Amino acid sequence: MRAPLGGDYRAAVRKHPGVVDGFMQRIAQAERQKAATLGSVATPGRYPLTVKQMARQLYDKRLELDEIGRNDFPGYASISVNDELVLALRDGIAGKLRDARLAALVGQQIDYFRHVGNTTSLSGTAEWRLLARELCKAELEVMERMVERDEGDYTGMPNLPYLQNDIIVENGAAPVSIRGIFEDYISSRQILGRGKEAEKRWAPVFQKFIAHLGHNDASKVTKKDIIAWRDTLRQNLSPSTISKVYLTAIGTAFNWAVSEDRLKDNPAKDVRQETPKHRNTETPKGKRKGFYQGRGDSYFAILL
């Protein structure tokens, strides 16, 4: 991939991170398409999409399939809409349905998004229900378009604004995979012959962090999130482990993401966990800590 940066060196340096990020987004999109085509499984959450982005994808795909049906199957438009399904979708949107019933409506769609790495949501979580309800909205909008098309009307527009726009941006920022930051940071270290120990030691840290958050979007992480996670870790881990392993892992990887222009700032940079100080021991008179003490012709290192 190549992209012109202009003839001015300073301007080129400023543009470079954003251009490279664009390359990475194109590569990620190609990987998602490949996974969908070949039926391979991507790492859950490796290519995160917002709830609204997934709903938009479902909406567009459903309408595309509807158009194929009208072209390929005579009489397709004569099939009436399932009124019971419409009522079920409305109940799903309202939050009246239990998880099992929601899964019967849109569970297969959620499994697909997990399959291609767009979400990590699991049944039984608030994140899963939020996604399920949003997909119900998209499905209901599709059915409204289908009824309109049955009458030859292709001018209908969805009621949800984000289904009308070509570009979906939530909270002003595209999602940034926490798991992707970790994996790419480790890859950047391995190029330099480092990172093997960090990969082994930090992988569980990031798994626990994502599980605690309930999502995989680094752009949504705040300082309060990091503090709440630290406080949760205190229940089972020593202050030293929290400081030297858990906070260090997140802070280091997020710092790297900031330097690579993937994040605007590092929410973990000012979060600390104090550790107990070792009891000071008094150095015996006549001996200086860290110095060699001679004995005859020999010298000995003294650690006090």
Side-chain angles (χ1 to χ4, degrees), residues 19-303:
V19 172
V20 172
D21 188 56
F23 289 160
M24 297 305 295
Q25 290 182 19
R26 288 167 59 188
I27 291 171
Q29 182 180 8
E31 289 177 340
R32 287 196 297 269
Q33 292 173 347
K34 178 181 178 181
T37 301
L38 299 180
S40 57
V41 179
T43 302
R46 182 65 176 87
Y47 312 109
L49 294 178
T50 66
V51 167
K52 292 179 180 179
Q53 285 173 323
M54 286 183 275
R56 174 58 189 266
Q57 279 199 9
L58 176 64
Y59 177 80
D60 289 343
K61 190 64 176 178
R62 284 281 192 261
L63 291 184
E64 180 184 335
L65 293 174
D66 176 73
E67 189 64 17
I68 292 174
R70 294 176 191 277
N71 291 332
D72 295 351
F73 304 103
Y76 174 88
S78 300
I79 302 174
S80 60
V81 170
N82 187 332
D83 292 334
E84 291 184 1
L85 178 57
V86 171
L87 292 175
L89 289 171
R90 287 176 177 168
D91 285 344
I93 294 169
K96 296 180 180 179
L97 303 181
R98 296 183 181 273
D99 288 356
R101 183 63 178 126
L102 277 175
L105 289 173
V106 294
Q108 187 175 0
Q109 292 88 314
I110 295 177
D111 289 343
Y112 166 78
F113 287 119
R114 278 183 54 80
H115 187 79
V116 296
N118 297 149
T119 182
T120 58
S121 61
L122 294 172
S123 179
T125 64
E127 181 187 13
W128 185 91
R129 285 187 63 85
L130 175 64
L131 176 55
R133 292 177 57 236
E134 205 66 39
L135 295 184
C136 283
K137 294 178 186 179
E139 292 280 16
L140 188 60
E141 289 276 11
V142 169
M143 298 187 78
E144 291 180 7
R145 301 293 85 71
M146 292 171 65
V147 170
E148 295 163 354
R149 290 179 174 189
D150 287 346
E151 301 298 324
D153 180 8
Y154 273 70
T155 63
M157 293 293 292
N159 296 313
L160 300 174
Y162 69 84
L163 294 181
Q164 302 173 14
N165 302 326
D166 290 334
I167 299 176
I168 308 162
V169 178
E170 190 173 78
N171 297 328
V176 181
S177 169
I178 297 172
R179 186 176 287 104
I181 287 176
F182 167 64
E183 292 177 354
D184 293 343
Y185 168 74
I186 292 298
S187 295
S188 74
R189 299 301 90 192
Q190 289 177 342
I191 292 174
L192 303 176
R194 310 169 188 168
K196 290 184 178 180
E197 184 63 28
E199 180 180 19
K200 180 179 179 181
R201 197 174 189 190
W202 289 1
V205 172
F206 280 83
Q207 291 175 2
K208 293 178 181 179
F209 184 51
I210 293 170
H212 170 82
L213 293 172
H215 66 80
N216 184 37
D217 188 355
S219 67
K220 293 181 179 179
V221 178
T222 65
K223 183 178 179 180
K224 288 184 178 180
D225 292 330
I226 304 294
I227 292 174
W229 183 54
R230 178 203 63 190
D231 293 346
T232 300
L233 294 173
R234 286 172 174 171
Q235 299 174 14
N236 300 304
L237 299 174
S238 69
S240 179
T241 299
I242 294 172
S243 175
K244 295 180 180 180
V245 180
Y246 284 74
L247 292 181
T248 295
I250 299 300
T252 300
F254 276 22
N255 266 338
W256 175 84
V258 171
S259 70
E260 294 293 312
D261 207 27
R262 297 194 187 185
L263 293 176
K264 291 183 178 180
D265 52 43
N266 179 3
K269 66 180 179 181
D270 295 324
V271 180
R272 300 288 183 269
Q273 170 59 57
E274 293 186 8
T275 57
K277 295 182 179 179
H278 294 292
R279 183 169 57 88
N280 291 329
T281 56
E282 187 176 335
T283 303
K285 189 175 181 180
K287 294 183 179 180
R288 300 174 63 189
K289 186 176 181 180
F291 277 70
Y292 288 96
Q293 178 177 348
R295 182 178 298 173
D297 294 332
S298 300
Y299 290 87
F300 300 87
I302 300 176
L303 180 62

